Amino acid sequence: MCVHNPPCPSADAADRDAAHTVAGHPDQGWSLLCNGVLLFEDTGELLPDGEVIGPRRPSAGLAVAA
């Protein structure tokens, strides 16, 4: 899918989020990366094979118990 040189990280690479954005929809909270990953503003991801990667940061407004 990627035609950049050097090529973007594949969808199964640890640094897959570094791929170029090919379609950005910040109003809807997601971006499509050139490696086929759907990246959501909460840092969750949907990989091309259907695997769901949960958000890596807590949602705004959640308090952390002390």
Side-chain angles (χ1 to χ4, degrees):
M1 198 181 227
C2 180
V3 295
H4 302 103
N5 193 11
C8 290
S10 68
D12 59 355
D15 60 346
R16 64 182 154 258
D17 297 354
H20 289 270
T21 300
V22 294
H25 293 275
D27 55 319
Q28 297 176 1
W30 62 272
S31 296
L32 175 63
L33 305 180
C34 71
N35 58 7
V37 172
L38 277 174
L39 179 63
F40 297 95
E41 70 180 16
D42 67 356
T43 70
E45 300 173 357
L46 179 60
L47 303 184
D49 66 0
E51 182 180 355
V52 175
I53 307 295
R56 293 180 297 259
R57 61 181 166 107
S59 297
L62 293 178
V64 177

